[in-house]
Amino acid sequence: MWLNPEEVLLKNALKLWVTERSNDFFLLQRRRGHGEPTGRITGLLVGALDTVLDSNARVSPFRVLLQVPGSQISWVIASGAAVEEVSKHWDWLVHNLLHSLSVFENKEDVASFVKGKVRGLIAEEVGGRQAAQEDEPDKFREALLKFELHFGLPSSEKLVTYYSCCCWKGRVPRQGFLYLSINHAAFYSFLLGKEVKLVIPWAEVTRLERVSTGLMTEAVRINTRRRQREFSMFLNPDEAFGVIGQLADIALRRLLDSEGLELDRVLQQPARITKRILEEQALREYVLALFRLPRDERLHEVASCSMWTPHARCHAAGTLYTTDSYLCFSGREEGSCILLIPLSEVLSVEKAESTSLLPNPVIVSVRTKKAFQLIELQGRDELVENLNSRLRALQWKRSMFRSRRDGKRSVSSPTPYYTFYYDTAPSDEEEIEEQVLRNTVNSEALMTAFHQNQPGANGSKSTEQLKERLWEDHFTEFGRGVHMFRTDKIQRLVAMGIPESLRGELWMTLSDASSALEAHQGYYTSMVQKSMGHSSLATDEIERDLHRSLPDHPAFQNPTGIAALRRVLTAYAHRNPKIGYCQSMNILASVLLLYAKEEEAFWLLVAVCERMLPDYFNRRVIGAQVDQSVFEQLIRERLPELAEHVPDLSTLSSVSLSWFLTLFLSVLPFHSAVCVVDCFFFHGIKAIFQLGLAALEANAAQLSASTDDGQALMILTGFLDQVGTEESSCPPPSPPAAETSSTSSTSSTSTSTTTSTDIPAVRNTNISDLINESYEKFGDLTVRQIERLRCRHRIQVLQAHEDTTKDNALRVVTPDVSMSPENLADVYDLFKTEHFISLYWGDSSSAAAAEAAAWRHGDSGRSYVERQYRLDRPQFKSLYGLLAPWPGDSNQHADTLANRTFTLLDQDSHGLVTFREFAGWLDTLYCEELNEKIRLLYRLHIPPALTESEDDPSLMKSPLMSSNRPLCVHLPSGVEGEQTDYQEQLKQMLKDLVKEREPDVEKPLPLMNQREFIQFCKTLYSMFHGDPEENELFQAIATVTSLVLQIGEAGHRGRGSGSEVTAEDDGGGEWTVSYAQILASLLTEQALVNFFEEPVDLCLKVAAAKVKQYHQRAGLLSLQQGSR
């Protein structure tokens, strides 16, 4: 590749270079040791030197120098990893530049001309290549060429970045390069003549760890299902570990759960992923989590600045983040000072005059007649211009929405917007009253009409009044509304519990659900209109859980509360069908309805499900499981003594699952749990982690002494039951009955092993004290730490689901096959890898379209396990070539048989083969008796497997109306003959249907005609090429062929002479033979019997396929891409 010219003072220092070609102006040199016999000591030493040197000093084995006659200075202008590459550059220089250089009289002009020409070539080449996106294009281009040369992967395998590091093999480190691409981690090393290559697919990574031992410092350990690899001596280990974690996480989310997990649009297109994109994405994820913004927000600018804080009477240093719809400010210490300003609230963004005390000031004015001052803003002019551009676009969009809404209102009826009548049929007064009740949106929070009395009511009133005064004072000092300054002081107020009169307002403010409500006026009512009256699986589950939501609260012992809960849940299921309805959403929604208006409760539920708890409520609750895994690691780090006494933390994490899914609402007394929800809306999921750690620490001694899971559950349940509020003078009632299934099943088990008398009595704990304690002891837990842990642990959770899917698939298939469980598991891995290879590099558009169609339409009878991995025709043919025991060397006929086999196995005509079908076919070839193998071969040579045109194996070439035989295509010319033949065909179809429904009755195979038998014989001949008994087998098959031909001819003459034809013989006057006749003929030749009965080692075949599969498919796909 061309290089920016770099000076070289000594053209052959230390004799490290050997000149291969030269002329007056250019030299082509080879690094000593490359291309020489490996035994030469100088070559080994130079190779070792090149490997040990870091990436900045390392050189390519070939280079081209520009030299000026009479000068000691030369310039490196090209280099390459292979002589062919450098030779192309050399030839270009000789043919295009060499003759022109003799014209120059001044030597300096020669050097300037050539260097300028080379720089132009580099700019032209880089302009359309990936390297242009990198910080150092030259070095990246060199690494990209080495990556392609060393590993031979297709060009679509995009290299993201690379690092110089050591890979440890036992106690021996090998210096080399770790290349990170979109689908793989690849390591290459060449040391003392020994080459090491490793390719690790991200889809196989099960765990990422950072370890330090006596020999390895700051090593990155990559675990797969088969082995683990350690890499160390990174120049920047934090960066390397972060990029590795991101790439593995993105690949697994894209490959293993593309529909269940939310993935950014940029990351869904692997060809666009670069190191810079990963850095931006990591920062964006952090900003979305810190400020709990909508998941589709894009991050635009990040700038250091200082903001004037009126409550502190000073400027607070921090960082400004701007997104599509928000201005966000965070102090230098996370959580010390946070400000969120929706652009919908902004009136103007203006630059003020810069002074020595206020450099580069910017004033942001909002609709509440407040202004915020930013100073020391980097890139102020461009940032203000971009903000004003987005602000104008938002204001125009809002004005258009208002004009449309006003136009609709002017022509609408005066009926209140919150009442809908769906049933206009006549009914009595009670039905009309109930219908109105079910469809009337409440304009007030349920708590105003259904207040739950509790002990100490008089004291609670005074406490509520005190809290209200404290909050009013806070509003005066820090502001009110979504752009309120959030500091340590508000944290203390939230820990005390938000007063009921302000709870709904503050939940809307802290979650910024108020902005969504304002931006979507009338949206909720339209969702209610569209969703009511529709029946689905989600609505059925909602109806089942309605009366299980806070059943002890009077609001949900009344039709009004039940109807409001139904509307909110049904409207959300209609809004987000990917989530629909998930268990525990009913508990959250019911609490939201108590303190917020119905429409506000809907938008609060949207904020919780889509922003604050991402991926919690999808098909497999992946988000909750990821946080459980993160919680386990936090227990090990923050509570090491407890982790030491309770080695298996899965019990504690399974108990805590309901804590995260319901925000402690299902395990704490109601008034205490609502205080936890207050903290959740202020701090997000961080509050749940902290409170969970505090609850475990408070019971650490008892949990360490517990003897079984049931006792641990009773300890935690007893502790949480007695957590009360300051207003409670006695223990509150039991928690709501709505528990997750895992908790209820565990509790039922625990009662049989542990009684309440085994658990020592615990004193009452105040929820505010517990919250404050969690802040004091675990408040240093940051959002950034949680996001990094989530990225790593999501890998483990997705792979655990993948293992479960594999186990279920094997359990379904095992009863139908005879191969060993180990071989079946290996075949599954090959099947899955083939699926992934096409996702990596193949043109999988047709397969993907067929797969999507199969998922959306029909296949309801198939289980999820059976449908997950399926192969299309090219993928199947690739595996066929790796695993089929025959035919031998005839590649063309093997391809023909592969096409027939795929057509035979694709029973649903979807263009896809399931693992069960694939395993059944392979089991027949390797584990079944001779007669089953011959039966399979026989079926491959009759329709539907054998079509009229082998070049285009389409079922349309041989129309099939009967399950046993194709109908006669050439009908008699007479109409009467056509009608008679059609009736005969219908009778045959009815017979076939009856046979298909007869249980445990093996259907007879249809007869084989002469053309099909010729194809059968061709297959048999192709199977014996290369066999040690080839001659004997050829003689045997010739004998069998002659015998079968005689049988067929005799039958043909018998039918032609007018003998009676039975109903089962549908051959008419055509030459035909049956499966039984062919099988009997084959059994007469012992050589053929021995051939088919000789066992073939499937284990060896699978092991060889694992080695060949990757590189064989990679090479084939590279050729396909190169030919386009």
Side-chain angles (χ1 to χ4, degrees), residues 442-499:
N442 294 331
S443 58
E444 296 294 336
L446 294 179
M447 188 61 78
T448 58
F450 304 97
H451 196 280
Q452 187 179 29
N453 295 323
Q454 61 172 332
N458 294 331
S460 70
K461 288 182 179 179
S462 59
T463 304
E464 287 289 303
Q465 292 173 358
L466 174 62
K467 291 180 182 179
E468 289 173 2
R469 286 198 300 271
L470 290 174
W471 274 99
E472 292 296 336
D473 295 340
H474 184 273
F475 292 149
T476 303
E477 186 176 0
F478 292 86
R480 189 166 189 165
V482 68
H483 38 69
M484 169 178 58
F485 283 97
R486 306 176 193 186
T487 63
D488 295 338
K489 185 175 180 181
I490 192 174
Q491 174 180 303
R492 292 191 292 271
L493 288 176
V494 170
M496 294 170 57
I498 298 176

Side-chain angles (χ1 to χ4, degrees), residues 525-600:
T525 57
S526 68
M527 285 294 102
V528 172
Q529 283 179 321
K530 293 176 182 177
S531 62
M532 284 297 178
H534 289 277
S535 179
S536 64
L537 178 62
T539 57
D540 294 341
E541 293 177 345
I542 290 171
E543 290 296 329
R544 183 191 62 200
D545 287 347
L546 284 176
H547 295 277
R548 304 178 187 176
S549 309
L550 302 186
D552 295 334
H553 200 285
F556 299 100
Q557 298 169 354
N558 187 285
T560 301
I562 294 296
L565 182 59
R566 177 187 293 110
R567 286 191 297 271
V568 169
L569 293 175
T570 308
Y572 184 79
H574 192 78
R575 163 191 166 85
N576 192 343
K578 183 181 289 187
I579 291 178
Y581 172 77
C582 183
Q583 196 175 25
S584 79
M585 286 174 62
N586 59 320
I587 301 176
L588 293 174
S590 58
V591 174
L592 299 176
L593 281 167
L594 289 176
Y595 296 100
K597 299 175 183 178
E598 187 174 322
E599 189 171 9
E600 294 175 345

Side-chain angles (χ1 to χ4, degrees), residues 666-669 716-724 731-735 764:
S666 63
V667 294
L668 282 174
L716 292 174
T717 303
F719 172 78
L720 294 173
D721 279 347
Q722 54 78 44
V723 175
S734 59
N764 289 349

Side-chain angles (χ1 to χ4, degrees), residues 318-340:
T319 306
L320 178 71
Y321 306 94
T322 67
T323 68
D324 292 333
S325 308
Y326 293 90
L327 283 172
C328 312
F329 175 82
S330 176
R332 285 182 178 174
E333 183 180 350
E334 184 181 293
S336 60
C337 180
I338 288 181
L339 179 67
L340 184 67

Side-chain angles (χ1 to χ4, degrees), residues 12-20 29-36 40-50 59-62 190:
N12 196 9
L14 302 178
K15 302 295 182 180
L16 297 178
W17 293 92
V18 178
T19 300
E20 298 283 332
Q29 295 184 332
R30 169 178 56 83
R31 190 71 165 173
R32 189 177 297 277
H34 288 271
E36 298 178 357
R40 296 283 293 275
I41 186 64
T42 55
L44 293 176
L45 290 176
V46 173
L49 177 65
D50 290 345
V59 293
S60 298
F62 298 94
F190 185 85

Side-chain angles (χ1 to χ4, degrees), residues 41-324:
I41 186 64
T42 55
L44 293 176
L45 290 176
V46 173
L49 177 65
D50 290 345
T51 302
V52 172
L53 291 175
D54 64 19
S55 59
N56 294 324
R58 199 171 304 182
V59 293
S60 298
F62 298 94
R63 69 180 183 179
V64 176
L65 296 181
L66 165 66
Q67 63 175 2
V68 177
S71 174
Q72 294 297 319
I73 300 176
S74 300
W75 292 268
V76 180
I77 59 174
S79 68
V83 66
E84 294 82 7
E85 178 188 359
V86 177
S87 296
K88 292 180 181 178
H89 297 328
W90 175 268
D91 293 340
W92 190 91
L93 291 170
V94 170
H95 290 101
N96 294 278
L97 289 185
L98 188 59
H99 297 292
S100 302
L101 298 182
S102 59
V103 178
F104 291 92
E105 297 180 359
N106 191 336
K107 299 177 182 178
E108 294 181 358
D109 292 343
V110 171
S112 299
F113 175 76
V114 174
K115 288 190 286 186
K117 190 66 177 176
V118 170
R119 290 191 182 101
L121 292 172
I122 292 174
E124 181 179 352
E125 182 180 351
V126 169
R129 294 202 52 160
Q130 169 189 352
Q133 304 174 11
E134 305 299 327
D135 296 332
E136 299 179 285
D138 293 338
K139 293 180 180 178
F140 191 85
R141 286 168 60 247
E142 180 182 354
L144 180 60
L145 290 173
K146 288 183 178 180
F147 174 69
E148 294 174 350
L149 175 68
H150 292 325
F151 301 100
L153 299 177
S155 58
S156 56
E157 182 64 21
K158 179 180 172 64
L159 179 65
V160 177
T161 189
Y162 64 99
Y163 296 98
S164 173
C165 65
C166 283
C167 177
W168 290 79
K169 187 176 181 181
R171 302 173 68 89
V172 179
R174 303 198 66 89
Q175 176 67 31
F177 273 98
L178 180 64
Y179 299 90
L180 305 179
S181 65
I182 54 176
N183 297 308
H184 302 84
F187 178 81
Y188 180 83
S189 172
F190 185 85
L191 185 64
L192 295 177
K194 186 174 182 180
E195 187 180 55
V196 175
K197 290 183 182 180
L198 301 174
V199 178
I200 306 173
W202 295 126
E204 293 297 320
V205 174
T206 57
R207 181 188 293 267
L208 294 175
E209 300 174 284
R210 292 186 68 171
V211 296
S212 294
T213 63
L215 294 174
M216 296 182 292
T217 57
E218 291 292 325
V220 176
R221 177 178 292 165
I222 301 178
N223 294 275
T224 64
R225 290 181 174 85
R226 296 185 178 90
R227 60 180 62 90
Q228 61 185 28
R229 302 284 186 184
E230 287 87 14
F231 303 91
S232 65
M233 299 185 188
F234 291 95
L235 184 63
N236 189 340
D238 292 335
E239 176 191 303
F241 185 70
V243 172
I244 291 172
Q246 276 187 280
L247 286 172
D249 176 47
I250 292 169
L252 289 174
R253 293 164 76 179
R254 177 169 51 88
L255 297 174
L256 300 185
D257 206 305
S258 58
E259 295 186 1
L261 295 175
E262 296 292 339
L263 197 61
D264 188 73
R265 291 190 299 270
V266 175
L267 302 182
Q268 292 174 359
Q269 305 172 21
R272 296 181 58 186
I273 297 177
T274 63
K275 183 180 176 183
R276 187 178 304 167
I277 290 291
L278 292 179
E279 293 171 351
E280 294 174 355
Q281 187 65 20
L283 180 59
R284 174 182 173 273
E285 291 288 341
Y286 167 69
V287 171
L288 294 185
L290 179 63
F291 298 98
R292 298 182 289 282
L293 303 181
R295 307 302 296 176
D296 57 352
E297 283 291 305
R298 293 174 299 171
L299 183 64
H300 291 287
E301 293 94 10
V302 180
S304 299
C305 65
S306 296
M307 174 168 281
W308 176 255
T309 53
H311 56 276
R313 301 290 190 271
C314 66
H315 284 90
T319 306
L320 178 71
Y321 306 94
T322 67
T323 68
D324 292 333

